[in-house]
Structures are given as C-alpha cells and as structure tokens.
Amino acid sequence: MTLKRYREKRHFEVTPEPSGPDPASTRLSKSTPVTKKQPALKYVIQKHRASHLHYDFRLEWNGVLLSWAVPKGPSLDPAVKRLAMQVEDHPIDYADFEGVIPEGEYGGGTVMVWDKGTWIPDDPDVDSSLRKGELKFTLQGAKLKGSWVLVRTHGYGQRADRSWLLIKHRDRYAGTEDIATTQPRSATSKRLLAEIARAGGGDAEKAATGDPPVAKAPATAKGLGAPRTKRAAAATRKAAQRRR
Ligand code: MN
C-alpha cells in the first residue's frame, strides 16, 4: 500500500489536505497481524460535497487509510446494501481533515468529519480478508457502532475489482433510522457542510445542497417543524414540560 496515487492527484501548495508522511523518511510497514497490544485502528467517514455528494469511508490499515467512496452513505438497515467504490489509500492524518478543497482541484468542495472512532477487524488477518473480498469488522464511532461488512461485488467493467458493498449486520445497533439525514452534523465540530464551507472560504451554497433540508429549517419557529438536532429536540421537550 502506498500513497503514490493519493499524492499524484493533488497539489499540496493549493489544497489544505495533508500530504502525509515524507516518502523519503517513512517506509510504510508491511502488514502485521493485529494483537491486543497494538493501538486502536482509526475509523472515519468524511461527508464530501464535491461534484457529487458522497461519504468517504476510511479504515486505518498498514499505515494508511483504506478508502471507499459511498455515494449514498451508510445505512443502519441490514437489508440495505450500499455501493462502496474503493479509491486510493489516504494518509492517516487525513482522518482529521475537515475544510474546503479549492474548486478546480481534485475533489474540490467541502469535507466534513461526519463520523469518527476506531474499528476492530473480526479476523486479524485483514490482508487476507481484503484479498478474499469480505472484510467483517466492528465500528466504535460516534454515530456508527456494531458489526458491519464490506463485500467485494462481482461486477463487470474496468473497476469491477474496486466495487464493494457496505452492509450493516443485524445487531442492537441496526435499525431503520436514516442516520445520514437525522445526524447531518460533523462529529468533531458539530457544523453542517454549509457552515464548514463558509468558514473555509468555500461555496456555501453548493455545500448546503449536501445538508438535509430539515437541518436548514429556521430555529426561530418555536414549536413549528421538526427539531434540528437531538439537543434542539431535548430543549423543545423541556420547554413543553415547563408550559404544562
Ligand atoms: Mn471524496
């Protein structure tokens, strides 16, 4: 695994994205099986309003973030299989990247750290699971938890080998909540895409098309419309109790 493709696609003098470790000084280590003593492996999903809205699903492995672009985002419903196209490995530092990639650059648009945490592979031999095209794991994120699987599809065409499905396993974290819509804010900054774009000098109007309409509802309309966030919902409930 290498960051060559990642670096080739980007101009680091223009984009704020991390360039990753210096290739001259760092050799990415060969795979070693996970043992209990190794530090937890990072997991992140970045919501990315580029030419199209998608969710970048990333798992730390072998000194890089293995990456898949999930157009519709993750689903908590085990009956729903979400297409996940494997893309170039990203540097570990990328897990903390939230901001604006200039228009005209690769992936130009707004990036949000939508979910963040750690992951545990079911089988410590992750390389073997990847070769077999079935990677089962547990997520310990702020939003996504429990058992999941990535399964390589037997599609056709040039990128058939890069095409996977992201599926939730049946467990207590499974459900029918449309989590991408109900929890649209950043796991780290709590901002919406439009807010990240505005702060980063990006195109807030374009970014806002990636935010769910309910999130943009005016907060001033007391008792009208759906509450914007869990916190807002709790405040609404409290206010209702006080009125009683
Ligand atoms: Mn992306």
Side-chain angles (χ1 to χ4, degrees), residues 147-175:
S147 180
W148 295 74
V149 65
L150 272 164
V151 190
R152 191 187 284 125
T153 65
H154 300 281
Y156 48 87
Q158 273 191 329
R159 301 190 69 202
D161 60 326
R162 302 220 129 223
S163 170
W164 298 65
L165 297 170
L166 176 66
I167 309 164
K168 180 81 194 77
H169 278 146
R170 231 165 266 288
D171 62 15
R172 66 196 176 99
Y173 300 109

Side-chain angles (χ1 to χ4, degrees), residues 114-127:
W114 183 77
D115 195 23
K116 196 181 171 179
T118 57
W119 75 287
I120 303 161
D122 283 16
D123 180 347
D125 192 347
V126 171
D127 292 318

Side-chain angles (χ1 to χ4, degrees), residues 61 181 193 208 237:
W61 187 245
T181 304
L193 278 171
R237 273 197 302 279

Side-chain angles (χ1 to χ4, degrees), residues 10 46 48 50 54-56 58 69 87 90 94 107 111:
R10 292 169 175 81
Q46 275 146 327
H48 186 183
H54 61 275
Y55 293 74
D56 289 304
R58 310 191 200 278
V87 297
H90 279 50
Y94 207 94
V111 177

